[in-house]
Amino acid sequence: MKYIKNYIGGQLVNPQSGNYIDNYDPSRGRVYAQIPDSEKSDIDSAVAAAEAAFPAWSGMSKSERSDIMIKAADLIEARMDEFAAAESLDNGKPVSLATHVDIPRAVSNFKFFATAILHFAAESHHMENLGINYTLRKPIGVVGCISPWNLPLYLFTWKIAPALAAGNCVVAKPSEITPMTAFMLSEICIEAGMPAGVLNIVHGLGHKVGDAMTRDPKIKAISFTGGTKTGETIAKIAAPMFKKLSLELGGKNPNIIFADCDFKQALSTTLRSSFANQGQICLCGSRIFIERPIYEKFRDAFVEKVSKTKVSYPTDPEAKLGALVSKPHLEKVMSYIDLAKEEGGSVLTGGTQVHLEGEYKDGYYLRPTVIEGLAFDCRTNQEEIFGPVVTITPFDTEEEVLAMANSTEYGLSATVWTEHLTRAHRVADQLHSGIVWVNSWLVRDLRTPFGGVKNSGVGREGGFEALRFFTEPKNVFIKSH
Ligand code: NAD
């Protein structure tokens, strides 16, 4: 049995309590590793290590910091297969997905922010006959990063990399459901020569470790990705201390398909945007709206493709979907399928567990599920399910589909399929969401602002937005006349 360790002050250490939590392999439904059940005392040590490391790290030149981060990226890249296998085992996702998406993106996150910081400039404002203002962008100090289980290393590094590049020292907590690649990252940091205490990774439960981070007054900013309820809890505790907060929360994204779309493209991308990573991506389009003239044609072609999509163990090279991340999550997703039926929906395909054979017989597999016949405002269509379940709904007019699309409490992303140029602009403009993809999905340029509106979050990550979040502007005025 592998024991994961905390990474504090440059050392791999056991939790102070000596207690551990079971870590499951969702593809087999079995415990395969132990995670530190850390507590406030571990966070206290991590914060002390980060505080001690801050003067030297923030005083180092940007290019020296950049070099260390690039080295870490190269080391992850060199161990790509090992990282992808670990991510897949921990999360249940197909190895092919971890190899092509998760781990390459973790490498890019480090490379992107290690180089972005070299181009990050602040403004100056000249006042004629008076003087000049210039703005410094100073690192904040000790910052906290808390991430979820769906894209474990991908989202963990998406927060840590800009924080480090900007000169902060970090206390970070990965999800207790998928801690393995964060543990491997601690080994990488040691190998890359990251000074002790610059990055500290503390494993454990949200209500213990995450809560201790949120309450610690020495942690001056928190970047959090996870559920909307957890974001609310963090905001309630952190706001009275005036911590800087970036909250990337849940979604219930619409996928709007107009009759004039490129049918083939819309169909194949919708298959991905519905079920990639078992539907466990905050950007998946879980509500599909189809314009009436192509409703039946699209529905039938989509259902046929979905019913042929292979659900299998993660190392099966043909697996399109692997296992859901945990038993409680599988049960939650299945409870939504029951709810959909109670609300009058018909399951067109899926709706049941997949029982594989042999060592995978206890894994958490679910058929990709398509439901029709639901009102746009029922609970199934309003609440985040975060699994391989989509609903399909016909619409007649642009106004109608915009009203349905914008009806939820969320506003993370949206997809629009149309060949009509002005309609694409008009609809994109009127959608209440932070990100809109037209005739595409999940095309990511790391320079663009990433985040949601309404209950999908506060603040933006990505590009210079992230570097602005992780720095404090200080304006200096120099009188010249
Ligand atoms: P979660 O909110 O349960 O947990 C996220 C992280 O917060 C974990 O590390 C957890 O341990 C920690 N946590 C839990 N309780 C805490 C507390 N009281 N104080 C501090 N930290 C606490 O979310 P999850 O189930 O891991 O992830 C799924 C959710 O994440 C979905 O809602 C999904 O939409 C969202 N998500 C959003 C984005 C985005 O960019 N907007 C990306 C991925 C996932």
Side-chain angles (χ1 to χ4, degrees):
M1 182 79 55
K2 185 160 185 161
Y3 278 77
I4 288 173
K5 288 178 186 268
N6 287 332
Y7 173 51
I8 298 176
Q11 306 286 323
L12 298 177
V13 295
N14 295 320
Q16 291 178 21
S17 67
N19 297 331
Y20 288 83
I21 316 159
D22 288 339
N23 187 23
Y24 280 82
D25 159 6
S27 72
R28 296 180 179 83
R30 264 193 234 149
V31 175
Y32 83 103
Q34 295 290 309
I35 315 161
D37 183 8
S38 309
E39 294 179 355
K40 182 179 176 301
S41 53
D42 301 286
I43 289 297
D44 291 345
S45 303
V47 171
E51 275 198 310
F54 180 67
W57 183 249
S58 57
M60 203 181 255
S61 73
K62 291 182 177 66
S63 63
E64 278 176 289
R65 288 203 298 265
S66 175
D67 288 348
I68 295 172
M69 291 179 63
I70 297 275
K71 180 130 191 243
D74 290 342
L75 288 168
I76 299 173
E77 203 162 20
R79 287 168 63 183
M80 178 70 74
D81 292 346
E82 204 187 318
F83 266 93
E87 199 71 295
S88 158
L89 183 66
D90 219 20
N91 175 280
K93 66 180 71 200
V95 175
S96 57
L97 188 73
T99 308
H100 291 108
V101 177
D102 293 76
I103 309 304
R105 179 55 193 279
V107 172
S108 305
N109 288 340
F110 267 108
K111 287 192 178 165
F112 177 83
F113 285 109
T115 48
I117 193 66
L118 305 176
H119 304 263
F120 185 47
E123 292 181 310
S124 71
H125 298 86
H126 185 220
M127 300 173 85
E128 291 79 6
N129 304 321
L130 208 55
I132 186 161
N133 295 276
Y134 63 86
T135 308
L136 295 172
R137 281 269 167 189
K138 309 280 284 178
I140 299 169
V142 180
V143 300
C145 299
I146 303 176
S147 61
W149 50 257
N150 63 324
L151 298 164
L153 194 65
Y154 173 136
L155 289 174
F156 196 55
T157 52
W158 180 235
K159 299 181 172 303
I160 289 169
L164 293 176
N168 301 285
C169 289
V170 176
V171 176
K173 187 196 114 44
S175 168
E176 62 274 28
I177 301 170
T178 52
M180 191 56 81
T181 49
F183 172 55
M184 291 166 69
L185 177 67
S186 28
E187 297 170 332
I188 295 280
C189 289
I190 295 170
E191 212 181 324
M194 190 164 285
V198 166
L199 172 62
N200 303 274
I201 301 176
V202 184
H203 295 271
L205 301 170
H207 68 270
K208 285 189 186 175
V209 176
D211 183 71
M213 287 170 68
T214 311
R215 288 180 195 279
D216 195 318
K218 293 179 182 145
I219 296 182
K220 300 289 182 202
I222 293 193
S223 173
F224 168 80
T225 298
T228 295
K229 272 271 154 242
T230 316
E232 190 184 319
T233 306
I234 290 174
K236 268 190 195 148
I237 298 167
M241 285 181 265
F242 308 112
K243 289 191 187 202
K244 258 184 131 172
L245 286 179
S246 168
L247 304 172
E248 300 296 336
L249 310 175
K252 187 76 182 173
N253 310 313
N255 174 7
I256 302 172
I257 302 170
F258 285 96
D260 66 3
C261 68
D262 176 330
F263 190 88
K264 235 174 112 193
Q265 275 278 332
L267 187 63
S268 63
T269 305
T270 295
L271 194 67
R272 250 180 354 102
S273 68
S274 303
F275 302 118
N277 205 37
Q278 297 72 246
Q280 303 167 143
I281 301 181
C282 54
L283 306 163
C284 279
S286 53
R287 296 178 294 147
I288 307 174
F289 298 105
I290 307 160
E291 203 176 7
R292 186 91 57 189
I294 61 160
Y295 180 76
E296 277 160 24
K297 182 178 165 203
F298 192 94
R299 175 195 64 191
D300 296 347
F302 184 59
V303 167
E304 199 200 332
K305 268 188 184 288
V306 175
S307 60
K308 288 186 186 148
T309 300
K310 187 166 185 192
V311 180
S312 187
Y313 54 95
T315 49
D316 180 348
E318 311 225 302
K320 293 285 181 261
L321 277 80
L324 268 68
V325 78
S326 68
K327 191 157 185 250
H329 191 60
L330 171 72
E331 286 165 358
K332 178 195 147 182
V333 174
M334 290 187 63
S335 77
Y336 271 102
I337 297 173
D338 291 340
L339 174 69
K341 289 183 202 155
E342 279 165 33
E343 289 184 318
S346 322
V347 175
L348 300 181
T349 182
T352 52
Q353 271 179 265
V354 178
H355 296 286
L356 300 181
E357 312 251 288
E359 61 181 306
Y360 299 103
K361 69 178 176 23
D362 296 324
Y364 316 131
Y365 301 94
L366 185 63
R367 287 194 173 78
T369 302
V370 182
I371 301 169
E372 99 174 322
L374 287 169
F376 78 92
D377 56 355
C378 70
R379 279 185 56 206
T380 311
N381 267 330
Q382 294 289 314
E383 297 176 15
E384 186 184 43
I385 301 175
F386 213 53
V389 178
V390 295
T391 63
I392 54 171
T393 309
F395 70 88
D396 291 300
T397 65
E398 222 172 277
E399 294 67 34
E400 182 193 13
V401 77
L402 276 166
M404 294 196 288
N406 289 336
S407 68
T408 74
E409 68 180 67
Y410 297 108
L412 188 54
S413 72
T415 308
V416 182
W417 291 93
T418 178
E419 293 293 298
H420 191 307
L421 178 67
T422 48
R423 171 155 53 208
H425 285 288
R426 197 166 53 236
V427 172
D429 181 56
Q430 291 178 74
L431 281 163
H432 301 165
S433 77
I435 302 155
V436 180
W437 281 291
V438 177
N439 299 333
S440 59
W441 178 70
L442 203 54
V443 177
R444 292 281 294 116
D445 178 331
L446 303 189
R447 295 169 300 179
T448 59
F450 179 91
V453 299
K454 301 196 279 185
N455 291 359
S456 287
V458 181
R460 290 292 180 275
E461 298 187 328
F464 292 146
E465 298 276 348
L467 294 177
R468 278 191 277 271
F469 174 75
F470 282 116
T471 51
E472 282 289 4
K474 179 195 279 184
N475 194 69
V476 180
F477 172 72
I478 308 278
K479 191 169 181 312
S480 61
H481 287 76

